Amino acid sequence: MSRKLMIGAAQLGPITRSETRDQAVARMVALMHQAKARGVELVVFPELALTTFFPRWYFEDQDAIDAFFEREVPGPATQPLFDTARELGIGFYLGYAELVDAADSKQRYNTSILVDGAGHIVGKYRKVHLPGHSEHEPWRSFQHLEKRYFEPGQEGFETWQAFGGTVGMAICNDRRWPETYRMLALQGAELMLLGYNTPIHYPPVPEHDHLQGFHNHLCMQAGAYQNGMWVVAVAKAGREEGCELLGQSCIISPTGEIVAMASTLGDELITYECDLDRTKEIRDHIFNFSLHRRPELYGLIAKPSR
Amino acid sequence: MSRKLMIGAAQLGPITRSETRDQAVARMVALMHQAKARGVELVVFPELALTTFFPRWYFEDQDAIDAFFEREVPGPATQPLFDTARELGIGFYLGYAELVDAADSKQRYNTSILVDGAGHIVGKYRKVHLPGHSEHEPWRSFQHLEKRYFEPGQEGFETWQAFGGTVGMAICNDRRWPETYRMLALQGAELMLLGYNTPIHYPPVPEHDHLQGFHNHLCMQAGAYQNGMWVVAVAKAGREEGCELLGQSCIISPTGEIVAMASTLGDELITYECDLDRTKEIRDHIFNFSLHRRPELYGLIAKPSR
């Protein structure tokens, strides 16, 4: 039986601070309709896809921060995505800021969900590798306060049986860490879905700015190849509130080749028919883990440093 | 104080089966003299640099196999490399087949050594990730019997204080595994030295042959960037006993950029002045391990599978 899955990477252009969730969701619904017309079965949206990338600002007022978070998904603003999924029979990956509002405490995560073509949530992932800093650093031309506004995910990396295969999720900075791909592959992942918001300017080392696109693809192509996985990576792109965000959303095959790539910085759908059986070309041979890995010699990698 | 180190990657063209160790060593000594003229302080030679790449043949006779191994290094054939090192004040990395001939048993390893500019051995490494197969597979156009002829190294990955920095070694297939770079970086490596013999034809999946050069650089560029290390990778290249070996020996900066690359398939020296302090651009920021890694969530990576 064929395990070919038509996937769409639905890049979003910038979302201004004044743009409402309803407006952002309407753009995503439009992309889902485009996807349906191209035979897509699974659409991948960016990280924090419902609002502007708010960690670029320092807010003292917790209510101002919480205004960017979702207390429930689906909720009033996101329900159209679920309705469209069910109507069109298309699944999706969505990144958003998650607020867990318990009686005695609140937790906030940078989260993604995987939704199937019946509109049901299959899995949820909370970002493990939060980049940036936790204190206001006025010397920067913009902030990257993910370490302030989010708690790191405690559940780690998981996989789910969905869309005829084994699917893993990750978010943005996770893609720079080889452990992300390996943890997913060791749990059988054949496909990794990822959204990102990546400023081209990196204030601590601006002399690397021109390498931002190279580094983005380098990490993901290596992760795909070294783990024999499909990787679908989707940007929020373009000039958002004065900050240039990297585009180049892409679909990468288990050989590490970029097989589809966005060529604009706006809302753009790219598609590829991903044969999940092609993972075997890598995982049964050059990277046959059980034949070639030496986990007894990798202890330091999993050794807590503190 | 500057920590700039002039490094030479000394690619070798093919070594025929009839070529003697003296002949191979004479080629390497010539490359060391070229290196001296260019101000090089450390020369990197390929994996198994003293003979033809013998795991491509199935031998039943253990004496025929052992003829490719060294019982002592330095020994009569390799002494000129040590003498030249001392004479020129140039260190080197050398790959060779190591036979440990103990009273009650013999062990064979795919080994490299690091020798300083005074001709002293600083460190020894035994290949951890042996590729290929252990039984004769006549359907292949050539064999890759590393798993038959060598035992896997049991010491794992180490680093040494040498050449003004922290140096790690790896060999050939080790470069495809992200754990190699990570284990070295977690021990402070600023520079990884590696030799390889890589057939362009991969008999189990020949439809990937055209990607051999891409995969070679992809893994090493990602490993360099994700660990903020210099990587120096040196091939035995060209058509050796009917088998085409990949060239493209290279020096890769901690940003993952290829900063020098061989453009022939013969004996060729490429050089680059590697500033070991540039590792900080990466390791103090985007890949600051203590700030951003989550080793408590990486357990599966170091969990023995058997």
Side-chain angles (χ1 to χ4, degrees), chain B residues 5-45:
Chain B
L5 179 65
M6 196 70 180
I7 301 183
Q11 180 175 285
L12 291 178
I15 299 179
T16 63
R17 197 167 160 185
S18 64
E19 195 163 342
T20 65
R21 284 170 175 72
D22 289 344
Q23 290 172 304
V25 166
R27 288 162 59 182
M28 287 189 266
V29 167
L31 285 160
M32 290 174 82
H33 281 279
Q34 281 185 40
K36 179 66 181 177
R38 297 201 213 162
V40 166
E41 301 162 80
L42 170 62
V43 172
V44 181
F45 293 117

Side-chain angles (χ1 to χ4, degrees), chain A residues 56-263:
Chain A
R56 78 167 60 93
W57 293 290
Y58 174 69
F59 298 103
E60 295 200 327
D61 175 10
Q62 189 62 51
D63 288 340
I65 300 164
D66 285 350
F68 294 103
F69 281 74
E70 311 304 310
R71 282 174 173 74
E72 52 173 354
V73 172
T78 50
Q79 187 63 47
L81 295 170
F82 290 79
D83 294 343
T84 306
R86 193 164 41 241
E87 173 196 340
L88 303 179
I90 291 181
F92 65 87
Y93 163 110
L94 175 74
Y96 64 96
E98 178 191 14
L99 175 58
V100 181
D101 198 350
D104 52 348
S105 73
K106 291 179 178 176
Q107 289 98 40
R108 296 169 187 83
Y109 299 101
N110 188 337
T111 295
S112 64
I113 49 171
L114 180 64
V115 176
D116 69 18
H120 298 128
I121 294 175
V122 174
K124 177 187 279 192
Y125 167 73
R126 290 166 173 164
K127 189 171 181 176
V128 160
H129 298 99
L130 293 175
H133 49 109
S134 54
E135 300 303 324
H136 188 209
E137 297 186 4
W139 62 268
R140 293 174 183 254
S141 53
F142 53 85
Q143 304 295 298
H144 200 122
L145 285 163
E146 288 195 56
K147 284 194 190 292
R148 184 178 191 87
Y149 298 148
F150 301 113
E151 293 178 51
Q154 297 302 333
E155 298 85 358
F157 297 98
E158 294 177 72
T159 57
W160 295 273
Q161 298 304 310
F163 300 96
T166 305
V167 183
M169 291 192 277
I171 299 177
C172 195
N173 181 48
D174 288 323
R175 76 192 185 287
R176 300 188 191 271
W177 300 85
E179 290 88 351
T180 297
Y181 308 87
R182 195 60 112 213
M183 285 299 298
L184 291 174
L186 287 168
Q187 298 171 83
E190 298 166 306
L191 169 63
M192 179 179 113
L193 310 178
L194 177 136
Y196 61 91
N197 283 262
T198 299
I200 289 171
H201 176 51
Y202 180 60
V205 191
E207 61 269 35
H208 292 183
D209 286 358
H210 69 290
L211 301 173
Q212 200 63 255
F214 165 60
H215 287 156
N216 177 47
H217 286 158
L218 176 64
C219 292
M220 297 196 292
Q221 292 182 269
Y225 169 56
Q226 291 173 323
N227 296 279
M229 291 196 300
W230 292 92
V231 171
V232 180
V234 183
K236 179 134 65 63
R239 187 173 180 83
E240 186 180 270
E241 299 291 348
C243 181
E244 305 285 351
L245 297 175
L246 184 68
Q248 299 189 325
S249 300
C250 59
I251 301 175
I252 302 172
S253 77
T255 58
E257 294 167 281
I258 295 174
V259 294
M261 186 174 86
S263 66

